[in-house]
Amino acid sequence: MSTQRNSDCQTESSISVPETPEIVAVELLRSFIGNGDPTTELESSPSNEGKIDAQIISGEELLKMDFEENPDIIENLAIEKQVTVFLGDSNAGKSLYALHAALSVGSPMTENICGLKINRHAPTLFVQSESTSKDMKDRILLMFQGNLGLRQGVKNLHFVSTLPNDVRVTGHSLSDQRFVDFMIENIIKPGANLVVYDPLVSVLHDNSRRGLDNVNAICDRTNSACIVIHHGDIAHIQNSDFTSTVEYWADNVFWMEQSRNVAGAITMRCKKARHFQKPRPTELKINANLLFEEAKGHNQKISLKSNIVVHALETLGGSVAKQADLSTELVANTGKSISTVRNIITDAVRAGQITEIVNPNNKRERGYKIAPQPTIPQ
């Protein structure tokens, strides 16, 4: 076509017509649009290359489709093809909890971890950058000495390493497709159904959304569940734009922090659950063998306090515009002091049983309503 166009131009230029700037401009325009035919060049236009293949699916067609449910590996925590993020202070025990969970998932003799049922026992791939081989060995030895049932879990726990004689990964990012391919290959090799990244910043250097999306792609390709550890003190995390992105991106989010209710305990609270009902907050303790245990008696008390607040709100119509209204009702119901009642309300908010609302007449005034707790079918 290009040859023909040049020939045409030569034929036209043989006509005795003075070459004014206007004529030159017209000829140049014709060379782009095919002598007046706007469709002449579109078929071979570079902008049309790599056309996106797509289809339109109606709502009726969608309802007729069948989808497989993503099974829970750990009930209400680790789900196949989903990402669960643990946020919190660097000393809140997130890495130890992830290691305890990995050993439990790999051990058929272990039925649950701190009350959360293990539905599938399978190998785990642990991707971490903080602990040396010796430190990790010492932790694992302590854990299975404290619970001999975890011995089989040791056999099913795998580490990917980019350093000689070490169990750490450094210098690689999930924003790099080569590392993504590397991860997929090394998840498939041991048949891992659970993958742990500890911490996230060790494998995502640029805080990019692309890297986060690649975590999802890896889960989809390998049919695995993913646990991601994200460190930082609570105040810093809550004001971090990247952490907000991580929370929005993740399917499920758990907070871990030093307990304000039980000395020496750690509070684990589900902040977000995309496909299951949020489990109740739990008070956990780490024993001498670095294994997590529920702080006996305290979780029941927290649940009872939350139910008292919910019952009071139900009596008041489900919500109040002022804290004083809820406090007055609770004082009447419990006989507790106003300061104790306020602490009970705070515990209920932390437990996710009630949520704060803004008073439309006074934005500085806090109100409360019962938090919705829907169960979303998987």
Side-chain angles (χ1 to χ4, degrees):
M1 185 175 295
S2 176
T3 303
Q4 180 62 44
R5 186 163 59 244
N6 291 339
S7 175
D8 291 343
C9 290
Q10 290 171 2
T11 302
E12 292 178 7
S13 64
S14 64
I15 300 173
S16 181
V17 177
E19 284 197 355
T20 65
E22 291 81 1
I23 292 177
V24 171
V26 170
E27 293 301 328
L28 183 62
L29 181 61
R30 285 180 177 175
S31 72
F32 281 114
I33 66 173
N35 289 329
D37 183 358
T39 63
T40 303
E41 289 295 310
L42 286 179
E43 293 181 2
S44 60
S45 171
S47 63
N48 234 27
E49 294 178 1
K51 184 179 178 181
I52 298 174
D53 292 326
Q55 58 180 321
I56 300 298
I57 299 175
S58 71
E60 185 177 12
E61 290 171 325
L62 180 64
L63 293 177
K64 294 178 181 179
M65 293 181 180
D66 293 322
F67 301 97
E68 292 185 4
E69 293 184 355
N70 295 331
D72 290 17
I73 295 176
I74 302 176
E75 181 183 37
N76 294 344
L77 191 143
I79 295 90
E80 186 179 287
K81 296 185 178 181
Q82 290 187 22
V83 178
T84 297
V85 172
F86 280 87
L87 301 172
D89 297 344
S90 58
N91 61 345
K94 300 184 302 300
S95 297
L96 284 177
Y97 187 91
L99 182 59
H100 186 181
L103 290 170
S104 300
V105 168
S107 177
M109 296 180 65
T110 305
E111 296 182 353
N112 69 80
I113 174 170
C114 299
L116 297 177
K117 184 180 178 183
I118 297 172
N119 291 321
R120 182 195 300 178
H121 293 94
T124 295
L125 186 71
F126 216 95
V127 185
Q128 63 93 33
S129 67
E130 296 184 329
S131 298
T132 65
S133 295
K134 183 180 184 308
D135 289 341
M136 189 60 72
K137 176 183 176 180
D138 291 344
R139 287 182 180 183
I140 293 172
L141 280 172
L142 264 177
M143 284 184 170
F144 89 74
Q145 286 171 0
N147 181 355
L148 295 179
L150 296 177
R151 185 66 182 88
Q152 185 64 33
V154 176
K155 295 181 180 179
N156 284 319
L157 177 63
H158 303 273
F159 296 91
V160 59
S161 171
T162 58
L163 299 173
N165 301 316
D166 208 336
V167 292
R168 290 178 290 183
V169 173
T170 62
H172 298 278
S173 177
L174 287 164
S175 299
D176 183 350
Q177 186 59 44
R178 293 172 299 175
F179 185 59
V180 171
D181 295 338
F182 171 84
M183 283 301 307
I184 292 172
E185 178 183 351
N186 284 279
I187 293 169
I188 293 174
K189 277 181 182 178
N193 277 144
L194 178 63
V195 180
V196 177
Y197 296 101
D198 180 22
L200 177 62
V201 293
S202 67
V203 288
L204 189 62
H205 305 156
D206 56 1
N207 291 355
S208 72
R209 179 59 194 247
R210 177 184 176 185
L212 296 176
D213 289 340
N214 280 340
V215 175
N216 295 110
I218 291 170
C219 289
D220 290 341
R221 285 282 301 277
T222 59
N223 295 323
S224 60
C226 179
I227 291 177
V228 171
I229 307 299
H230 189 43
H231 294 319
D233 62 88
I234 295 296
H236 173 73
I237 279 180
Q238 288 177 330
N239 294 302
S240 166
D241 290 339
F242 178 61
T243 298
S244 297
T245 300
V246 170
E247 287 190 72
Y248 179 79
W249 156 77
D251 296 287
N252 318 300
V253 177
F254 285 82
W255 284 87
M256 293 183 74
E257 59 183 323
Q258 296 299 316
S259 174
R260 301 180 185 181
N261 303 305
V262 185
I266 294 167
T267 302
M268 187 172 86
R269 173 170 56 88
C270 183
K271 187 176 182 183
K272 174 185 177 183
R274 186 164 286 171
H275 296 290
F276 56 80
Q277 184 171 349
K278 292 180 182 178
R280 62 178 173 81
T282 54
E283 299 288 347
L284 305 173
K285 285 194 172 183
I286 303 174
N287 66 21
N289 289 94
L290 305 182
L291 296 172
F292 280 78
E293 301 173 341
E294 289 192 78
K296 294 180 180 179
H298 294 286
N299 294 318
Q300 290 81 359
K301 291 179 183 178
I302 291 173
S303 179
L304 180 60
K305 287 180 182 179
S306 298
N307 289 336
I308 291 172
V309 179
V310 171
H311 176 71
L313 273 177
E314 287 175 343
T315 303
L316 296 170
S319 66
V320 292
K322 297 187 296 184
Q323 185 186 59
D325 294 339
L326 179 57
S327 298
T328 301
E329 181 71 17
L330 285 169
V331 168
N333 292 344
T334 65
K336 303 290 185 181
S337 68
I338 191 69
S339 61
T340 300
V341 160
R342 285 173 180 168
N343 289 334
I344 292 174
I345 293 173
T346 300
D347 288 340
V349 172
R350 289 180 186 152
Q353 298 297 316
I354 66 173
T355 57
E356 293 184 355
I357 58 176
V358 177
N359 185 328
N361 299 321
N362 184 354
K363 292 185 178 180
R364 295 183 180 181
E365 181 80 49
R366 286 179 298 175
Y368 299 94
K369 68 176 181 178
I370 299 173
Q373 296 289 326
T375 301
I376 304 175
Q378 294 187 39

